[in-house]
């Protein structure tokens, strides 16, 4: 027998145990211990006594499936539908919203203490929503044939099995309605759904984006190949059924891939853009552009970043990872000049257009990787008073941090969507001479485990 086969664990797979839930993981799984061996159980809450079945064991921890809650947490609520748990779209739907907000605040507190070694940094109560549903302004819904019919929904977790869904609860209800309308039009025209196994069929995803303030709709049909039978009639029917539609785009993705959008696209109606507003500015957004998902919470997030920047009108500011210029333009209102950096060229085109649209002229934009441009600027002796960063989940590149420590902006505002990489980066910046003052958590994605955070740092004068 191999060493692995001989290994024994404090619990046995497929056996049933009773234990008290002590904590939650960052993914929202309940943590129970049997003989000091941690087991992670979906749907369990701290303080509960549960019965569960062990489904997987490993060297350091295992996983269990919840069978029964014997003593219930006061933070437990009835779930709306198990489909939202099965698909992972609402993994915290069994938890009161108040408890969700506390969980997200604690996520940031824990990583600042454990990873960043900054236990004394205040992490303020999470800014939540009055109604934590119907907030998503963008949907990317997979399409499959189910019982011989083109069907929309969402994939079951860790699989590509489609769970049919029409009401996603966390999406703008108008978007849910639009998906069903488009689906039914495609059905009437007998457009075949994409078959991932055979790499056949046509429609892979239906993407709908909606302006929260403008009500404008953008419909994107993601297809395996260029041709769509009856395309003109389909476009006319969508326009008639959804008169708020200002843009219909066909995105072509011919690859065997999990990436949703391909590189090639054709505008079928209008232009490749719709409009929305944020902090009093109007933005044009293309189908490939990143735009924050939750409009009302984005305004709270960005306002916090603006407050932390403490601009007086005399500062030169760098907005790294600027996207289509959403934070850039708000910063420019109170700064001398703002330099935006973004790796996605079409986003920079949008950013320049948005500056023009809003008559903001004290901004400039550069296409490229933020770390490359920052390194070059640092080498050229370029300086900034304030640096604002809003990186992807992977956080800041080490080269970027080196460039920051060379350039030494007086103040730095870090907008993060991943507490772990945030904490890693704060540790490095702290070692490099920055004081971390405070952190504000913001709930951009209610009913999920995701949390956004704004952190203020300043350089330590020597």
């Amino acid at each position: 027998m191999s060493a692995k086969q001989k290994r024994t664990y404090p619990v046995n797979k497929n056996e049933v145990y009773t234990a008290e839930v002590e904590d939650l993981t960052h993914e929202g799984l309940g943590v129970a211990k049997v003989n000091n061996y941690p087991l992670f159980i979906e749907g369990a809450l701290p303080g509960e006594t549960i019965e569960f079945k062990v489904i997987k064991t490993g060297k350091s921890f295992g996983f269990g499936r919840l069978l029964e809650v014997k003593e219930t947490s006061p933070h437990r609520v009835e779930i709306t539908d198990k489909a939202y748990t099965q698909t992972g779209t609402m993994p915290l739907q069994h938890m009161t919203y108040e408890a969700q907000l506390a969980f997200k605040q604690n996520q940031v507190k824990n990583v600042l203490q454990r990873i960043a070694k900054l236990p004394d940094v205040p992490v303020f109560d999470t800014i939540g929503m009055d109604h934590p549903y119907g907030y998503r302004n963008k949907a990317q819904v997979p399409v499959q044939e189910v019982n011989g019919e083109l069907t929309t929904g969402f994939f079951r977790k860790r699989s590509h099995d489609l769970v049919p869904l029409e009401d996603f609860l966390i999406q703008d209800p108008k978007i849910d309605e639009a998906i069903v309308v488009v689906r039914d039009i495609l059905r009437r025209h007998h457009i075949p759904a994409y078959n991932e196994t055979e790499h056949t069929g046509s429609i892979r995803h239906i993407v709908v984006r909606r302006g929260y303030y403008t009500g404008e709709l953008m419909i994107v049909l993601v297809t395996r190949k260029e041709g769509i039978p009856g395309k003109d009639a389909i476009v006319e029917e969508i326009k008639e059924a959804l008169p708020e539609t200002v843009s219909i785009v066909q995105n072509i993705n011919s690859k065997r891939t999990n990436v949703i959008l391909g590189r090639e696209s054709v505008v079928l109606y209008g232009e490749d853009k719709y409009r929305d507003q944020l902090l009093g500015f109007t933005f044009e957004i293309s189908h490939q552009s990143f735009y924050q998902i939750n409009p009302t919470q984005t305004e709270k997030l960005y306002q916090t970043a603006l407050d932390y920047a403490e601009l007086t009108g005399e500062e030169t500011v760098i907005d790294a990872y600027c996207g289509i210029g959403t934070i850039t333009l708000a910063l420019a209102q109170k700064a001398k000049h703002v330099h935006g950096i973004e790796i996605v060229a079409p986003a920079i085109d949008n950013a320049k257009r948005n500056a023009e649209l809003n008559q903001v002229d004290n901004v400039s934009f550069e296409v490229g990787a933020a770390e490359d441009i920052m390194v070059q600027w640092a080498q050229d002796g370029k300086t900034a008073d304030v640096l604002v960063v809003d990186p992807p989940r992977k956080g800041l590149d080490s080269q970027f941090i080196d460039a920051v420590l060379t350039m030494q902006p007086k103040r730095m505002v870090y907008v993060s969507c991943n507490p772990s990489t945030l904490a890693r980066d704060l540790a490095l910046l702290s070692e490099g001479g920055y004081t971390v003052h405070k952190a504000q958590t913001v709930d951009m994605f209610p009913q999920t485990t995701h949390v956004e955070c704004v952190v203020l740092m300043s350089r330590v004068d020597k």
Side-chain angles (χ1 to χ4, degrees):
M1 291 179 93
S2 71
K4 188 174 181 181
Q5 287 172 312
K6 289 177 184 175
R7 184 177 292 150
T8 58
Y9 300 102
V11 297
N12 297 316
K13 191 177 174 184
N14 296 323
E15 284 197 6
V16 174
Y17 296 86
T18 299
E20 186 175 330
V21 182
E22 300 178 9
D23 201 356
L24 285 176
T25 70
H26 70 280
E27 295 176 319
L29 303 178
V31 182
K33 290 181 180 176
V34 175
N35 298 325
N36 223 30
Y37 178 76
L39 291 125
F40 303 146
I41 300 123
E42 183 177 74
L45 294 175
E48 293 186 329
T49 301
I50 60 167
E51 188 175 85
F52 64 95
K53 182 178 182 178
V54 176
I55 55 175
K56 187 177 180 181
T57 53
K59 184 179 178 182
S60 303
F61 56 85
F63 291 87
R65 185 172 72 247
L66 182 64
L67 299 177
E68 184 184 350
V69 178
K70 292 185 172 292
E71 289 184 29
T72 304
S73 163
H75 300 302
R76 177 174 291 279
V77 291
E78 279 294 316
I79 66 167
T80 306
D81 192 315
K82 64 180 181 181
Y84 303 116
T85 304
Q86 291 170 342
T87 56
T89 55
M90 294 195 345
L92 298 185
Q93 66 166 326
H94 61 297
M95 189 187 293
T96 63
Y97 190 51
E98 182 184 19
Q100 290 183 33
L101 297 178
F103 162 71
K104 295 181 184 195
Q105 180 187 19
N106 286 330
Q107 275 197 66
V108 176
K109 281 183 177 178
N110 290 341
V111 293
L112 289 189
Q113 184 169 340
R114 187 170 45 84
I115 299 173
K117 311 299 182 193
L118 296 167
D120 298 326
V121 174
V123 180
F124 301 126
D125 290 351
T126 308
I127 299 172
M129 299 186 73
D130 293 334
H131 180 68
Y133 295 94
Y135 58 83
R136 289 187 63 96
N137 60 16
K138 175 185 176 183
Q140 300 183 126
V141 177
V143 175
Q144 277 187 5
E145 187 174 302
V146 177
N147 298 325
E149 200 168 42
L150 183 146
T151 304
T152 52
F154 214 75
F155 293 134
R156 195 181 301 274
K157 282 184 297 186
R158 295 178 290 277
S159 82
H160 275 200
D161 300 329
L162 193 83
V163 176
L165 277 175
E166 291 188 359
D167 183 351
F168 282 77
L169 286 186
I170 57 173
Q171 286 175 180
D172 181 334
K174 293 285 186 185
I175 288 180
D176 284 345
E177 290 170 19
I179 291 165
V180 172
V181 166
V182 174
R183 179 203 68 189
D184 290 349
I185 290 170
L186 295 173
R187 281 179 177 176
R188 287 198 295 274
H189 285 266
H190 306 291
I191 305 299
Y194 177 61
N195 183 311
E196 190 178 343
T197 308
E198 304 294 332
H199 196 54
T200 57
S202 179
I203 302 290
R204 300 173 69 128
H205 280 78
I206 297 169
V207 179
V208 180
R209 304 181 75 157
R210 182 174 186 264
Y212 178 77
Y213 290 103
T214 64
E216 293 183 356
L217 278 177
M218 170 183 272
I219 310 293
V220 184
L221 303 176
V222 184
T223 61
R224 181 179 64 88
K225 54 185 182 179
E226 193 169 335
I228 304 177
K231 178 170 61 181
D232 293 344
I234 289 169
V235 168
E236 288 305 313
E237 287 181 37
I238 292 173
K239 284 163 56 182
E240 185 178 348
L242 299 168
E244 314 86 20
T245 304
V246 297
S247 174
I248 303 175
V249 176
Q250 179 189 2
N251 178 279
I252 300 146
N253 186 352
S254 59
K255 295 182 178 179
R256 288 180 177 267
T257 177
N258 291 332
V259 176
I260 293 172
L261 296 177
R263 293 186 178 179
E264 188 182 346
S265 61
V266 181
V267 176
L268 305 180
Y269 169 66
E271 298 179 63
D272 184 3
K273 66 182 183 185
Y274 72 102
R275 290 189 181 192
D276 203 7
Q277 286 144 15
L278 202 59
L279 293 173
F281 295 98
T282 298
F283 291 95
E284 290 185 351
I285 306 141
S286 67
H287 85 281
Q288 290 270 17
S289 290
F290 172 77
Y291 188 69
Q292 289 280 11
I293 289 294
N294 186 329
T296 57
Q297 292 298 92
T298 297
E299 294 193 325
K300 296 172 188 174
L301 182 81
Y302 286 0
Q303 189 57 58
T304 302
L306 290 170
D307 293 344
Y308 281 13
E310 295 178 22
L311 299 176
T312 65
E314 299 301 316
E315 295 86 0
T316 298
V317 181
I318 294 174
D319 177 15
Y321 313 92
C322 70
I324 64 171
T326 45
I327 299 184
T328 321
L329 301 191
L331 291 165
Q333 264 191 325
K334 297 184 176 182
K336 183 179 178 182
H337 192 90
V338 185
H339 301 274
I341 306 171
E342 172 58 51
I343 196 168
V344 180
I348 286 291
D349 292 338
N350 279 157
K352 289 176 178 176
R353 172 64 187 140
N354 288 328
E356 196 178 292
L357 192 65
N358 291 281
Q359 300 178 321
V360 177
D361 56 12
N362 60 330
V363 293
S364 52
F365 296 98
E366 189 148 349
V367 179
E371 56 269 23
D372 295 340
I373 291 173
M374 281 289 286
V375 167
Q376 187 60 55
W377 285 356
Q379 288 171 352
D380 294 345
K382 196 167 189 172
T383 60
D385 301 298
V386 178
L387 171 64
V388 177
V389 297
D390 186 5
R393 290 191 63 78
K394 66 179 183 178
L396 301 175
D397 188 277
S398 58
Q399 277 185 289
F400 185 99
I401 291 176
D402 290 342
V404 172
L405 299 180
T406 301
M407 191 179 284
Q408 294 194 338
K410 296 183 188 74
R411 192 175 296 111
M412 185 170 174
V413 179
Y414 193 138
V415 181
S416 168
C417 61
N418 184 338
S420 295
T421 55
L422 167 68
R424 177 203 67 199
D425 295 343
L426 292 185
L428 295 171
L429 289 161
S430 182
E431 286 171 18
Y434 278 83
T435 297
V436 182
H437 295 287
K438 54 186 175 180
Q440 175 65 66
T441 48
V442 181
D443 189 18
M444 297 282 284
F445 304 95
Q447 315 307 325
T448 80
T449 57
H450 299 296
V451 59
E452 298 260 341
C453 188
V454 185
V455 176
L456 172 64
M457 288 167 275
S458 66
R459 197 180 74 229
V460 179
D461 291 323
K462 295 179 181 177

